Amino acid sequence: MNREEALNYVLNLNEQERIDKLVELLAEKERVFDFVVKANDQKVKNEGPYVVMLVERESGIAYVPHFISKIQKVILIYLLMHPKGISFRAMLAHYDDIITLGRQVYLGSFKEKTSDLLSPDDMEHNITHHISQIRTALKKCTNGEIGDDYRISQPNVANTYYIPAVKQGKCRVSIELMVQKMI
């Protein structure tokens, strides 16, 4: 069907049929992803003991973002553990929890040099930088096909970061971390 035939087809539909067709076309465009954090059984190169994946719900295709630093994966997992969002102040107050999570994710190999990237002295600047890098990693791993709903939001009035699709319940989150006792 060429462009003119398609236009005539749409013009000949009644209002309800046009609405139904539009809803159908829009539904085809929306891809739903789920976040999965699990043991790196397949040994995804350079991902450490745990891997973060975006899994397209319909096709089952898994996309693995490449993070520039270990702390970025840890920040994303920490945000996924707080679906309603988390503020700068709360992140600062739970700095030790974030570092402990990093040690769990990297099975103790989360060195202080890495944690210095999230220094409490300059945390606001560092968090902003790392979140920007996480957004880029998520977009790159899906070749730009991921919607804004799956990227970490800009901080709102309450200075809270969140992932819209997670906050709205549109996206499922599965985190399979083995909690280990830290020495």
Side-chain angles (χ1 to χ4, degrees):
M1 182 181 303
N2 65 32
R3 183 184 171 114
E4 189 175 321
E5 290 171 331
L7 181 60
N8 284 332
Y9 171 77
V10 170
L11 291 175
N12 287 325
L13 296 174
N14 68 36
E15 187 175 344
Q16 186 58 48
E17 289 173 323
R18 279 189 219 147
I19 291 170
D20 292 344
K21 189 67 173 171
L22 181 60
V23 167
E24 179 184 322
L25 290 172
L26 289 174
E28 288 175 12
K29 294 286 182 187
E30 184 177 2
R31 296 170 66 190
V32 178
F33 294 88
D34 296 316
F35 281 97
V36 177
V37 179
K38 66 178 206 146
N40 191 358
D41 296 336
Q42 299 171 345
K43 302 296 179 205
V44 177
K45 204 172 192 178
N46 301 323
E47 283 301 313
Y50 288 92
V51 64
V52 174
M53 297 182 288
L54 275 165
V55 179
E56 187 175 6
R57 198 175 290 170
E58 187 174 313
S59 68
I61 296 172
Y63 299 89
V64 179
H66 172 70
F67 300 104
I68 294 172
S69 69
K70 291 179 177 182
I71 193 66
Q72 292 167 6
K73 182 189 293 186
V74 173
I75 290 171
L76 178 58
I77 293 170
Y78 194 74
L79 283 168
L80 291 171
M81 293 169 76
H82 296 84
K84 301 284 186 213
I86 189 157
S87 70
F88 270 137
R89 288 179 188 212
M91 286 178 109
L92 187 55
H94 295 105
Y95 173 79
D96 291 336
D97 294 339
I98 295 171
I99 299 305
T100 299
L101 176 64
R103 289 186 181 127
Q104 290 173 349
V105 169
Y106 288 99
L107 300 179
S109 69
F110 192 68
K111 304 284 187 230
E112 288 307 314
K113 287 181 183 176
T114 304
S115 62
D116 287 345
L117 294 171
L118 193 59
S119 166
D121 300 331
D122 196 15
M123 193 164 176
E124 185 171 346
H125 168 75
N126 287 329
I127 288 286
T128 303
H129 169 75
H130 291 305
I131 285 178
S132 174
Q133 294 296 316
I134 295 166
R135 283 189 195 114
T136 300
L138 293 174
K139 186 174 181 179
K140 276 184 178 178
C141 81
T142 61
N143 295 319
E145 295 180 22
I146 191 170
D148 288 340
D149 279 357
Y150 296 93
R151 283 186 252 153
I152 300 167
S153 70
Q154 295 292 338
N156 60 17
V157 178
N159 221 7
T160 301
Y161 285 107
Y162 61 93
I163 300 171
V166 174
K167 187 175 183 178
Q168 298 162 3
K170 176 179 173 182
C171 172
R172 295 184 291 229
V173 176
S174 171
I175 299 176
E176 301 170 10
L177 288 177
M178 289 178 53
V179 178
Q180 296 184 345
K181 195 179 233 182
M182 292 287 136
I183 299 172

